[in-house]
Amino acid sequence: MRLTALLSMAARVVVPKDYRFGTNRPWTVAAKRLNPAGKKRRKVFVEPLAPADWSVLKGDTVQILTGKDQGKQGKVIQVFRHRNWVILEGLNTHHRYIGKTEDYRGTYIASEAPIMLRDVALIDPSDRKPTNVQWKFTEEGDRVRVSLRTGRIIPKPVVERRDGIVPQQWKDGPKDTSPEDTLEKTYVPSLKTLEEDVMEKMGIQETRRNKRSYWY
Amino acid sequence: MGVLSTLLRGLVRGADRMAEFTSKKGARTHNKGRGSRPTGLRLSSRKFISIRSMIPEFVVPDLEGFKLKAYVSYRCPRGTEPPLTARSVFADVVAPQIKKDFQEGVFNKEQLEKYGFESQQEGKLFKLYPKNYVR
C-alpha cells in the first residue's frame, strides 16, 4: 500500500476536530512532530469571532498595542483565523538558528512570533493612529471597513500574487493571447451541432449512414 | 524517492498491492493492452485487416490568421459567459424569426420546419435522440 497511500496522503490532509493549530501548516514534518496522529494536546481556547467580523486582512498595516514591540506599526504577512493570530513583518521577533547540521551551527535569523488579534489595531490612513473598525455598507452597496473615530474608509489591501506577477504590468510573451483577442466574441449561434458545422466549413461530405442497431 | 524513503521509515514493509496492474508489471509473455480500441478485424486465418474508417483521423482546419494562442495574458479581466443551453440557443436563433413572422401575420403552427424543427431524426447523420455525437 505504499504508492497509493502516498498519493492519498498528498491529496488532502484530514485534521481532527480538536487539532491544535500552530504556525506550521498541518501537512509539514514540523507540524506532525508537534501534533502526531492520535495524540491529544491541551486544548487552547480561542475567542469566538464570526468570519464576517474579521477586520484584519493580509497586507494591512496594523499597530501593536501590548507587548515587547508596543507602539510599532507593521504589515501583516500571515493571518491564522483558527487561533486569532496575526504575524507582522519583522516585529515581535525572537532569534533562532536555522539549517543546523552536525558541523555547522546554523544561520542566526530573526523569526516573528504570532500576535493575538486583541493586541493589534488597524491604522487609520488619515492620521496614522490605531483605531477600532466596523464593517459598514457604502452607498453603492460595497461592504467596507470604517474607522469608528474618524469615519474614514480603510481600503482593502492589494493582494499580491505569490509569484510576484503584477497583472497590469504584465508584458505578453509570444505564446500569450492579448486581452482584446481573448475577449472578442466570435461565436455565431446556430442550430448546427459542432460536428455539422465543422463538416460544412471543411467541405466534408458523408453520405454513409449508420446501420440500424438495437439494444435491450 | 525521498518521499518514498520517508514512508518506508514507517512500520509497514512490503509491495504496493493496491497499485493498478498494468502491462508493465507482468511477465514479458503476458499481453495486456492499455485500453485502445481495435482498428480492424481479425480473420479466422489469424490475419488482421486494418479498416481505414476505424482508425481515428484528426481533422485540423487551416490556422491561417487565427489569433488565439496557447496561453492567456494576465491582464485579462476574469469573468464567465452565460452557459450555453438549448433555451439560450433557441432564444438567439429561432425566437427572433418566429417573432418577426408572428408580427407580419405569416406564422403557421404547422410549418415549423423552416425555423429548424426536425420532426424525424431518421435520415440524419448526427441524431439528437438517441444522441450519437460527442459534443
Side-chain angles (χ1 to χ4, degrees):
Chain A
M1 256 266 279
R2 316 306 300 135
L3 191 63
T4 34
L6 160 70
L7 291 172
S8 59
M9 269 164 52
R12 171 109 208 175
V13 164
V14 175
V15 129
K17 246 181 151 174
D18 50 358
Y19 186 80
R20 187 180 168 123
F21 287 92
T23 43
N24 301 300
R25 298 196 155 104
W27 53 86
T28 44
V29 167
K32 286 192 190 135
R33 201 185 302 133
L34 290 172
N35 292 332
K39 179 166 171 197
K40 284 192 183 290
R41 289 194 60 179
R42 193 166 303 173
K43 184 180 158 99
V44 63
F45 293 93
V46 166
E47 189 189 331
L49 186 61
D53 295 330
W54 191 275
S55 352
V56 180
L57 305 172
K58 181 174 156 179
D60 268 334
T61 334
V62 295
Q63 180 166 329
I64 307 180
L65 307 170
T66 57
K68 196 168 57 148
D69 291 330
Q70 194 169 0
K72 292 194 189 160
Q73 298 182 355
K75 192 166 87 141
V76 173
I77 24 179
Q78 216 179 345
V79 152
F80 298 82
R81 292 215 182 187
H82 31 70
R83 292 284 296 256
N84 284 2
W85 277 345
V86 282
I87 295 196
L88 306 185
E89 199 173 6
L91 293 176
N92 199 20
T93 54
H94 53 273
H95 296 266
R96 63 184 172 117
Y97 287 97
I98 199 175
K100 189 160 137 24
T101 50
E102 274 157 26
D103 348 2
Y104 179 47
R105 63 169 168 225
T107 332
Y108 194 60
I109 59 152
S111 67
E112 301 92 351
I115 309 173
M116 289 298 296
L117 201 58
R118 285 211 149 248
D119 302 334
V120 294
L122 275 171
I123 287 175
D124 200 334
S126 51
D127 56 359
R128 280 175 304 161
K129 292 258 170 45
T131 159
N132 291 327
V133 156
Q134 237 181 23
W135 283 98
K136 291 196 181 137
F137 286 93
T138 58
E139 295 280 318
E140 288 90 35
D142 307 318
R143 191 162 176 263
V144 289
R145 302 176 289 184
V146 172
S147 150
L148 286 174
R149 196 184 54 226
T150 45
R152 193 195 184 298
I153 293 177
I154 299 174
K156 258 186 163 174
V158 175
V159 179
E160 285 155 3
R161 287 175 57 112
R162 239 198 258 183
D163 44 20
I165 296 175
V166 181
Q168 288 316 310
Q169 295 163 11
W170 174 256
K171 287 202 190 22
D172 289 342
K175 292 190 187 173
D176 283 324
T177 334
S178 64
E180 302 82 36
D181 288 336
T182 327
L183 297 172
E184 199 185 316
K185 277 190 190 287
T186 51
Y187 173 60
V188 174
S190 75
L191 291 176
K192 287 198 255 291
T193 61
L194 175 73
E195 286 85 356
E196 285 171 5
D197 208 2
V198 166
M199 274 172 74
E200 254 178 70
K201 291 260 167 52
M202 303 283 294
I204 301 167
Q205 266 111 30
E206 183 64 69
T207 44
R208 301 172 296 177
R209 291 284 177 266
N210 286 332
K211 269 250 191 278
R212 182 114 204 191
S213 69
Y214 303 88
W215 64 86
Y216 304 97
Chain B
M1 195 51 219
V3 201
L4 265 182
S5 59
T6 30
L7 262 192
L8 285 166
R9 240 192 272 145
L11 304 163
V12 185
R13 260 186 277 130
D16 187 0
R17 283 195 194 176
M18 295 295 148
E20 189 199 338
F21 185 82
T22 69
S23 50
K24 290 192 170 264
K25 275 217 90 175
R28 57 173 179 254
T29 52
H30 184 228
N31 183 12
K32 189 179 182 341
R34 281 292 227 158
S36 54
R37 301 286 301 271
T39 61
L41 293 169
R42 278 195 75 183
L43 301 176
S44 51
S45 62
R46 294 202 39 149
K47 222 167 140 180
F48 180 81
I49 32 169
S50 162
I51 300 174
R52 178 86 183 266
S53 48
M54 282 171 91
I55 303 173
E57 190 191 316
F58 288 102
V59 175
V60 181
D62 186 22
L63 292 175
E64 196 66 44
F66 188 59
K67 285 179 276 188
L68 301 180
K69 293 191 199 144
Y71 304 95
V72 172
S73 162
Y74 278 106
R75 288 179 286 137
C76 279
R78 286 173 180 238
T80 51
E81 293 265 314
L84 187 72
T85 57
R87 197 175 269 264
S88 69
V89 172
F90 182 88
D92 287 331
V93 179
V94 179
Q97 297 175 358
I98 294 185
K99 234 190 218 175
K100 193 164 84 70
D101 284 351
F102 189 75
Q103 267 146 21
E104 285 168 17
V106 185
F107 178 69
N108 189 354
K109 252 194 324 201
E110 319 301 326
Q111 285 176 355
L112 293 174
E113 321 294 326
K114 56 180 178 170
Y115 307 116
F117 175 68
E118 279 142 5
S119 49
Q120 274 181 345
Q121 303 288 316
E122 272 306 314
K124 287 172 68 179
L125 180 59
F126 297 111
K127 300 192 176 122
L128 284 177
Y129 51 89
K131 186 170 169 200
N132 61 1
Y133 57 94
V134 173
R135 307 265 177 162

